[in-house]
Amino acid sequence: MPSRDPLSPSSPWVELSASADDWDAADPALLLGMLGQGLWIRAFEEYALELAGEGLIHGPVHSSIGQEGGAVGSALPLRSDDFVNGTHRGHHQFLAKAFGHVLPEKYDGLPELDDNVRTVLRRTLAEICGLSDGFCRGRGGSMHLQWREAGAMGTNAIVGGGVPQAAGFAWNQLHAGTDAVTVTYFGDGAVNIGSVLETFNLAAAWRLPICFFIENNLYAVSTPIGEVTGEPRLSARGAGFNIPSWRVDGMDALAVNLAMNEALDHMRAGRGPTIVEAEVYRYFHQNGAYPGSAFGYRDKAEEKAWRDRDALEQLRSHVVRRKLATARQITAVQKQVAAVMREIGESLLEPDPQGKPGQRRIKPTAWPDSSFVDAGVRGDLSELDGSRYEEPDTFSGKLTDRRFIDVVSDVIGRRMETDERIVVLGEDVNRLRGGTNGATKRALELFPDRVLGTPISENAFTGLGGGMALDGRFRPIVEFMYADFMWVAADQLFNQVAKARHMFGGDSAVPFVLRSKLAAGTGYGSQHTMDPAGILTTAAGLRVVAPSNPFDYVGLMNTALACDDPVVVLEHVDLYTTTGTGPVDDLDYRIPVGKAALRREGGDLTVISYLSMVNHCLEALDQVPQIQADLIDLRWLDRASLDWDTVEASIKKTNRVLIVEQGAVGTSYGGWLADEIQRRLFDWLDQPVERVTGAEASPSISKVLERAAIAGTDEIVARLKQIREAD
């Protein structure tokens, strides 16, 4: 018979309840603060639902009514330098954190609804209504609330989407030498999201000061948690990651507060992450002012049972019992905040001249100007003012033949020498004497503590890098071992990092650099060999750069690392072992954003390419000497950074264009570029734009089929000959 020894988790998992003695011993200011702020939040939410019912809020209003106890209980112990982020249902947590920032630390009696609190209420309501006075200038609405000054780093409409970023905030706090912490709020549905579990693991491995606050309201839209989760006590997840966890009744604000204080003590002592699960109940449906029973997935008896345990009523009863305030004083607070909300509303609204009697509309002057629509998608690059820009023909330093991969390693190491904020993270970057290709060799020699080998969890560590960048105290270089892995991290890369600056109002820098290699021709098959340029450049917030030689790599990487926008630096494995002209020891110059390079000149044809295909184009042009072509190495690929001056000047000279790329036609970068050239320069073209691309299919493992799937010198030669014969 096998022996069986019972196992127990390494970290505690407890259910915490507040006793009568706890309520008697609780600091009066704590109880009054939780009650007062809870009443403000509820009045705010009720008024927001009223406006939504009148059609005055465009988009959803995810009410938190019923869940205020979890918000005030957890947020009151936080400081302004502590960070929070949250979900699409995040008004209550955002307001609680903002109130904590503007209110004095101590006060007698119920907190005062002073001018600072009124400003928070007004700007939050304006944001939810999509108005220019909102915290994000109306771009965030109900689901994207951010006030960095208060440590409210942004709510998030993607379920679980903000959790990896919160780990980045916590990493920055830890490594900035503070005892500040981050609380990331998310719901029961997010507990089953892969990026959340990935972040549990990463935070535990790195002992980050982050509290994963699970607001378990029992339903993911209309699906009961018991139907989709084998263990509905969601804090049980902590045991699998060695994270101490607390489970509390979220309708008991004091119990939440006690659990949060224990979690804070653990995190501020440098002992790593925590989980707090608060079981709460949203009184209304996922969105709007109707209860869940109206949609058939809950019954009225269940809803009444939860309302009978209302967190604010419980707080009220204890405050009155302990004679900290009278019932009349509390009622007066309720009336006051309701009146303030109506006063705020009246400042934003006016009678609708085209509507029915009594119908209102948003004042036209309150809306953002329509010209603001694209402002802040990316920055103005003023951070690059004063840069020393160089090209080989202007460079005064020593040049020699350098291996491409050695230059990659050297320039990253050099920037880490001059900027202590730069941190490298990715899979195996801290192993193998410089990662899988040697790119981090110099960085490891100089700063091993700032080269972070991550778990295999692209969503988590990309989001963590995004959080580091949003906070701004550190500047991450995130490495994807292969470009195809961007699909694994697609939410964090496209939904979060690329959109963050614009979504939160246009002012927040996102100094994030992603390095990734293209590996077509290496035999790694369909899931490791794509050219992602055509996909990456569809994301408006990303700048994309593609160096083709060692000299350019230094200048372009330096510019990327100085830029306050997220930049993807594409590299091709074919270039790593090649040699080309590069600097001997001057690694401090830059190459401007939006500047292409003319690699060869001729009047017959304009050839446009990037990365390793530039060398293939040179080889092909040597084999077809009858065609004298301009060869443009784009270097910068994204829509905002593309060098149209160079492209237009060449096309106006040659009147013919050939775009050359290696990868599959379905994810083609050249498809967009050809369309844009024909839109801009149609009158200058003597024929449609020609293209060389790979096949429709992704490259296969078979050497023969792989070669057939990608473009190279032979395909360029064949197309050049066709162009020559057509003359």
Side-chain angles (χ1 to χ4, degrees):
M1 294 288 291
S3 62
R4 292 177 173 84
D5 295 322
L7 299 174
S8 58
S10 300
S11 288
W13 175 38
V14 299
E15 184 154 7
L16 185 150
S17 301
S19 67
D21 289 342
D22 292 321
W23 280 99
D24 288 341
D27 185 341
L30 170 65
L31 298 185
L32 290 167
M34 290 193 296
L35 176 59
Q37 292 187 34
L39 293 173
W40 295 347
I41 292 169
R42 181 160 297 181
F44 178 93
E45 292 282 64
E46 289 172 343
Y47 190 70
L49 287 178
E50 179 182 325
L51 296 187
E54 293 182 47
L56 294 168
I57 295 179
H58 183 63
V61 177
H62 299 102
S63 160
S64 65
I65 294 175
Q67 301 183 187
E68 300 92 345
V72 296
S74 61
L76 256 69
L78 301 180
R79 309 184 310 230
S80 288
D81 64 335
D82 295 323
F83 289 167
V84 302
N85 72 352
T87 71
H88 58 283
R89 191 182 314 284
H91 304 166
H92 53 329
Q93 295 142 359
F94 175 84
L95 287 169
K97 188 64 168 72
F99 293 152
H101 177 64
V102 301
L103 286 170
E105 289 188 14
K106 290 288 184 181
Y107 39 82
D108 297 322
L110 289 160
E112 292 187 13
L113 219 166
D114 60 16
D115 288 344
N116 290 327
V117 173
R118 290 169 186 250
T119 297
V120 168
L121 293 170
R122 176 177 56 79
R123 294 194 66 194
T124 307
L125 186 66
E127 185 58 47
I128 291 171
C129 291
L131 308 182
S132 60
D133 194 36
F135 282 104
C136 302
R137 305 186 190 181
R139 284 199 179 133
S142 175
M143 297 187 288
H144 306 294
L145 296 166
Q146 184 194 68
W147 189 23
R148 291 170 59 96
E149 181 184 333
M153 301 299 286
T155 55
N156 204 292
I158 302 297
V159 175
V163 176
Q165 294 164 39
F169 305 150
W171 194 95
N172 283 11
Q173 290 165 325
L174 177 64
H175 291 274
T178 76
D179 69 345
V181 307
T182 292
V183 181
T184 182
Y185 293 96
F186 53 95
D188 44 280
V191 173
N192 297 321
I193 296 289
S195 60
V196 173
L197 301 175
E198 289 177 17
T199 309
F200 283 4
N201 178 65
L202 196 155
W206 291 359
R207 297 175 68 85
L208 300 180
I210 179 173
C211 176
F212 299 100
F213 194 99
I214 306 170
E215 198 175 42
N216 183 359
N217 66 20
L218 309 182
Y219 292 88
V221 186
S222 63
T223 303
I225 189 65
E227 288 186 7
V228 293
T229 303
E231 171 53 274
R233 298 171 302 171
L234 303 180
S235 47
R237 304 293 197 280
F241 298 95
N242 196 18
I243 301 176
S245 303
W246 289 257
R247 189 168 192 265
V248 297
D249 175 5
M251 308 304 273
D252 183 336
L254 181 59
V256 175
N257 183 265
L258 292 170
M260 178 56 78
N261 274 295
E262 291 184 10
L264 286 170
D265 288 343
H266 177 93
M267 294 183 290
R268 295 203 200 280
R271 295 162 60 195
T274 59
I275 292 175
V276 175
E277 176 196 3
E279 194 169 83
V280 294
Y281 199 78
R282 54 174 163 84
Y283 291 168
F284 296 102
H285 179 53
Q286 165 78 356
N287 169 33
Y290 294 97
S293 56
F295 299 88
Y297 63 90
R298 303 195 305 208
D299 60 47
K300 292 183 179 180
E302 175 186 308
E303 291 171 345
K304 181 180 183 303
W306 280 93
R307 282 181 176 269
D308 288 344
R309 300 178 55 244
D310 184 81
L312 301 187
E313 288 303 315
Q314 184 178 188
L315 277 166
R316 179 201 297 264
S317 67
H318 284 289
V319 165
V320 172
R321 179 184 62 79
R322 289 187 54 185
K323 299 182 180 179
L324 305 177
T326 66
R328 180 175 295 179
Q329 289 173 319
I330 296 169
T331 300
V333 168
Q334 290 177 291
K335 290 180 178 178
Q336 181 192 27
V337 68
V340 166
M341 290 309 306
R342 296 198 175 280
E343 177 187 318
I344 291 169
E346 291 304 315
S347 72
L348 303 175
L349 302 171
E350 66 180 14
D352 187 344
Q354 273 117 24
K356 298 176 182 177
Q359 191 170 346
R360 300 181 293 176
R361 70 175 186 180
I362 301 288
K363 290 180 179 177
T365 55
W367 293 108
D369 191 280
S370 60
S371 64
F372 187 57
V373 61
D374 287 334
V377 169
R378 58 192 69 80
D380 62 5
L381 301 178
S382 59
E383 66 273 18
L384 300 178
D385 291 349
S387 294
R388 174 169 69 92
Y389 293 124
E390 299 282 6
E391 297 288 351
D393 58 355
T394 67
F395 189 65
S396 60
K398 294 180 181 179
L399 295 171
T400 189
D401 281 346
R402 300 288 313 275
R403 268 207 333 158
F404 193 101
I405 193 61
D406 293 340
V407 165
V408 173
S409 171
D410 286 352
V411 72
I412 293 173
R414 173 59 179 162
R415 291 284 65 77
M416 294 177 77
E417 283 185 292
T418 61
D419 189 344
E420 63 184 11
R421 299 171 299 169
I422 294 175
V423 177
V424 177
L425 62 152
E427 295 157 359
D428 286 311
V429 295
N430 63 333
R431 302 290 180 187
L432 305 173
R433 300 178 183 176
T436 54
N437 293 99
T440 54
K441 179 181 178 182
R442 185 61 176 155
L444 275 173
E445 291 171 352
L446 295 172
F447 306 105
D449 292 342
R450 286 158 57 195
V451 182
L452 312 177
T454 65
I456 298 175
S457 53
E458 280 80 9
N459 236 331
F461 70 73
T462 302
L464 183 143
M468 292 169 68
L470 281 167
D471 171 48
R473 280 176 282 190
F474 290 87
R475 300 177 76 98
I477 302 175
V478 175
E479 178 184 305
F480 285 175
M481 194 178 293
Y482 291 92
D484 307 64
F485 297 172
M486 72 174 186
W487 294 121
V488 183
D491 174 48
Q492 292 303 318
L493 184 58
F494 294 107
N495 263 331
Q496 311 295 342
V497 170
K499 295 178 180 177
R501 181 194 280 267
H502 183 265
M503 182 171 71
F504 290 129
D507 296 325
S508 297
V510 189
F512 172 99
V513 170
L514 171 66
R515 292 181 49 251
S516 191
K517 73 184 178 195
L518 286 61
T522 61
Y524 269 72
S526 295
Q527 295 175 336
H528 284 68
T529 51
M530 77 175 295
D531 177 350
I535 306 299
L536 291 168
T537 51
T538 64
L542 297 178
R543 297 188 187 269
V544 182
V545 64
S548 66
N549 61 72
F551 185 91
D552 281 10
Y553 190 93
V554 172
L556 294 170
M557 176 55 87
N558 284 336
T559 302
L561 285 170
C563 185
D564 282 342
D565 295 326
V567 181
V568 179
V569 180
L570 296 178
E571 303 165 11
H572 200 295
V573 69
D574 282 355
L575 294 173
Y576 283 163
T577 57
T578 64
T579 59
T581 300
V584 174
D585 49 19
D586 180 356
L587 299 170
D588 297 329
Y589 61 90
R590 296 173 183 167
I591 290 174
V593 174
K595 183 62 176 175
L598 195 60
R599 301 300 182 195
R600 183 170 291 187
E601 293 188 57
D604 298 332
L605 176 68
T606 297
V607 180
I608 303 174
S609 194
Y610 58 93
L611 269 183
S612 62
M613 294 305 285
V614 172
N615 292 332
H616 287 290
C617 289
L618 289 169
E619 293 174 358
L621 288 168
D622 286 341
Q623 294 180 37
V624 189
Q626 299 89 343
I627 292 183
Q628 298 297 303
D630 276 356
L631 172 57
I632 298 174
D633 180 351
L634 288 175
R635 301 201 288 203
W636 294 92
L637 305 183
D638 59 281
R639 182 183 295 267
S641 307
L642 196 137
D643 184 355
W644 281 109
D645 289 342
T646 297
V647 170
E648 289 180 9
S650 178
I651 292 173
K652 288 178 179 179
K653 177 177 69 173
T654 68
N655 311 119
R656 295 193 295 185
V657 183
L658 173 64
I659 299 172
V660 177
E661 58 190 324
Q662 183 180 54
V665 67
T667 54
S668 167
Y669 173 75
W672 165 80
L673 183 57
D675 176 73
E676 189 69 8
I677 286 171
Q678 289 175 151
R679 187 183 68 81
R680 288 175 178 243
L681 299 166
F682 182 81
D683 289 344
W684 293 91
L685 293 172
D686 290 342
Q687 62 187 47
V689 173
E690 298 276 356
R691 292 171 57 200
V692 172
T693 73
E696 181 179 1
S698 300
S700 304
I701 292 292
S702 164
K703 188 173 183 179
V704 171
L705 294 178
E706 180 185 49
R707 180 62 189 88
I710 61 178
T713 301
D714 292 345
E715 286 72 22
I716 305 169
V717 168
R719 186 56 57 88
L720 289 173
K721 289 180 177 178
Q722 290 175 1
I723 293 171
R724 184 193 63 193
E725 291 167 1
D727 286 344

